[in-house]
Amino acid sequence: MRMGSSWKWQLSRAMRLALRWCRLCRLHRGGGGGGWNKSWIGRRLLEQWSYSKLLLKSLYYNSLSNSDTLLDCVFEPIYWIVDNVTRWFGVVFVCLVVLLTTSVVAVVYLFVLPMIFSTYPTHWIAWHLCLGHWLLVMIVFHYYKATTTSPGNPPKDKVHIPSVSVCKKCITPKPARTHHCSICDMCVLKMDHHCPWLNNCVGHFNHRYFFSFCLYMTLGCIYCSVSSRNLFLEAYNAVESYYQTPPPTFTFRETTAHKSVIFLWVLTSSVAVALGGLTLWHAMLICRGETSVERHINRKETKRLKEQGKVFRNPFHHGRMKNWKLLLGVEKRSHWITRVLFPSDHPPSGDGIMWDCIFTKRDPMAI
């Protein structure tokens, strides 16, 4: 039975129950029939009360339910609002990223690069041109690929696939490391999280693009913040002098340059700190062979096994260097340059359904 028809059936049963209550209340007000009628009404009221409790319990209880299931049912309207708001605001966040990145590039071209051309020697000019444009190309490429590449979904037309459970929402087999995204309303292979700044889930096929974008965007913000530091100090002192008496005479272009440089430095410094922390967090997860979802699951599993005197071992942790090679798709030394330091759209290792698991057999108490 589909969910919509089930809810309609429950609603109709509740309406019939309410009509029975009204009929019994009318009989009770009308009186008549003596003590036998009152006792019969009492029995009927008790039966209706027991039936109503059973009906209410059937809405949220079964042999597999617990307190978490009840809380999920209670907060389901809130989850629905948050999921739909996040889905629609994802477009706004993507436009905001594009707008802010474009504004930073425009300020650099209009005010920072002219200062570099007029004051720096030739070799430093070449260095800034190469480094800045390399970071810009890497940021644009990886952001575009992260937003447009599907994270990967389990095949719905194939029933016989390696799976560890069945998704309660999709009612389809769920392979290892696959989780359901309530915002995208689908299961995602090796799901890390849903990123509103990408308006996309981060999963098996775009995890590398997401991390590379975070890394190169952090490096680009650090580069802009450091290279424009002297300009920022000059612009800040100039803006403070606006309030002197008499105020200094600055042209419109000069005042625009002062405000633009301050905007550039504050924005890039703030993003470097915030995004840098997020990048370090994901780098730590990659070193451990975990995703953001698996981090919470593994912590609970570690605590549970510790109470039993056992040690939890992540079956997808192949060692730090091997984890990085699997994520970045590095198969030989030259790939560190061609696939990491330059734009590359090569697919990740594996299909996201079958995974190589490493189990240590030396420790009999390890799980």
Side-chain angles (χ1 to χ4, degrees), residues 100 104 217-218 221-222 224-226 232 262-278:
L100 292 178
V104 168
M217 178 62 84
T218 302
C221 289
I222 293 174
C224 290
S225 179
V226 172
F232 165 74
I262 292 176
F263 165 78
L264 168 70
W265 191 87
V266 172
L267 177 63
T268 54
S269 300
S270 303
V271 173
V273 173
L275 190 58
L278 179 65

Side-chain angles (χ1 to χ4, degrees), residues 203-251:
H204 177 63
F205 290 100
N206 65 346
H207 193 183
R208 175 176 68 89
Y209 298 130
F210 164 76
F211 180 79
S212 298
F213 164 72
C214 292
L215 177 63
Y216 287 114
M217 178 62 84
T218 302
L219 295 177
C221 289
I222 293 174
Y223 166 74
C224 290
S225 179
V226 172
S227 61
S228 63
R229 177 178 175 274
N230 293 332
L231 282 178
F232 165 74
L233 295 176
E234 295 177 2
Y236 184 80
N237 294 330
V239 170
E240 281 192 335
S241 67
Y242 291 173
Y243 306 98
Q244 295 177 356
T245 304
T249 57
F250 290 111
T251 63

Side-chain angles (χ1 to χ4, degrees), residues 9-21 24 43-59:
W9 181 84
Q10 295 288 357
L11 181 60
S12 64
R13 293 294 295 175
M15 294 176 64
R16 286 196 292 270
L17 179 61
L19 291 175
R20 289 185 182 181
W21 272 98
L24 289 174
R43 289 196 303 270
R44 291 292 297 174
L45 287 174
L46 183 61
E47 290 177 1
Q48 292 296 326
W49 174 248
S50 301
Y51 178 74
S52 62
K53 289 195 298 183
L54 179 62
L55 178 63
L56 180 63
K57 198 173 183 180
S58 67
L59 294 177

Side-chain angles (χ1 to χ4, degrees), residues 3 39 42 62 81 128 156 158 185 193 225 232-233 265 281 301 318 328 359:
M3 185 62 68
S39 63
N62 57 50
I81 294 174
H128 281 286
K156 294 184 178 181
K158 296 181 180 179
D185 195 23
H193 68 288
S225 179
F232 165 74
L233 295 176
W265 191 87
W281 165 254
E301 193 68 11
H318 301 269
L328 301 175
F359 293 99

Side-chain angles (χ1 to χ4, degrees), residues 5-275:
S5 60
S6 176
W7 277 107
K8 292 179 181 179
W9 181 84
Q10 295 288 357
L11 181 60
S12 64
R13 293 294 295 175
M15 294 176 64
R16 286 196 292 270
L17 179 61
L19 291 175
R20 289 185 182 181
W21 272 98
C22 295
R23 191 179 299 115
L24 289 174
C25 291
R26 189 188 311 163
L27 290 174
H28 182 69
R29 288 195 302 266
W36 180 86
N37 191 24
K38 292 182 180 180
S39 63
W40 179 81
I41 292 176
R43 289 196 303 270
R44 291 292 297 174
L45 287 174
L46 183 61
E47 290 177 1
Q48 292 296 326
W49 174 248
S50 301
Y51 178 74
S52 62
K53 289 195 298 183
L54 179 62
L55 178 63
L56 180 63
K57 198 173 183 180
S58 67
L59 294 177
Y60 66 88
Y61 180 80
N62 57 50
S63 60
L64 301 177
S65 66
N66 50 28
S67 59
D68 293 336
T69 305
L70 178 59
L71 289 176
D72 288 341
C73 294
V74 172
F75 286 98
E76 186 65 28
I78 300 177
Y79 296 152
W80 184 87
I81 294 174
V82 172
D83 292 343
N84 282 272
V85 169
T86 304
R87 184 182 301 118
W88 286 107
F89 267 81
V91 180
V92 178
F93 289 150
V94 170
C95 294
L96 187 62
V97 171
V98 175
L99 179 63
L100 292 178
T101 305
T102 304
S103 64
V104 168
V105 174
V107 172
V108 170
Y109 272 99
L110 292 175
F111 304 109
V112 178
L113 282 181
M115 184 274 299
I116 292 176
F117 289 149
S118 61
T119 58
Y120 282 34
T122 305
H123 62 280
W124 278 115
I125 294 176
W127 162 257
H128 281 286
L129 287 176
C130 294
L131 179 61
H133 286 89
W134 172 70
L135 289 173
L136 178 61
V137 169
M138 298 299 286
I139 290 171
V140 172
F141 172 79
H142 286 104
Y143 186 72
Y144 173 77
K145 296 295 292 185
T147 54
T148 58
T149 302
S150 172
N153 312 108
K156 294 184 178 181
D157 55 339
K158 296 181 180 179
V159 180
H160 302 289
I161 60 174
S163 59
V164 295
S165 62
V166 175
C167 179
K168 299 178 181 178
K169 301 290 183 65
C170 300
I171 318 297
T172 55
K174 217 164 51 165
R177 313 188 79 178
T178 299
H179 302 278
H180 186 86
C181 175
S182 57
I183 299 175
C184 297
D185 195 23
M186 63 179 63
C187 287
V188 177
L189 299 175
K190 191 194 169 188
M191 179 179 176
D192 189 275
H193 68 288
H194 183 91
C195 181
W197 299 101
L198 301 178
N199 195 29
N200 195 8
C201 268
V202 177
H204 177 63
F205 290 100
N206 65 346
H207 193 183
R208 175 176 68 89
Y209 298 130
F210 164 76
F211 180 79
S212 298
F213 164 72
C214 292
L215 177 63
Y216 287 114
M217 178 62 84
T218 302
L219 295 177
C221 289
I222 293 174
Y223 166 74
C224 290
S225 179
V226 172
S227 61
S228 63
R229 177 178 175 274
N230 293 332
L231 282 178
F232 165 74
L233 295 176
E234 295 177 2
Y236 184 80
N237 294 330
V239 170
E240 281 192 335
S241 67
Y242 291 173
Y243 306 98
Q244 295 177 356
T245 304
T249 57
F250 290 111
T251 63
F252 176 76
R253 177 179 174 81
E254 290 174 336
T255 57
T256 304
H258 296 157
K259 297 175 182 179
S260 299
V261 169
I262 292 176
F263 165 78
L264 168 70
W265 191 87
V266 172
L267 177 63
T268 54
S269 300
S270 303
V271 173
V273 173
L275 190 58

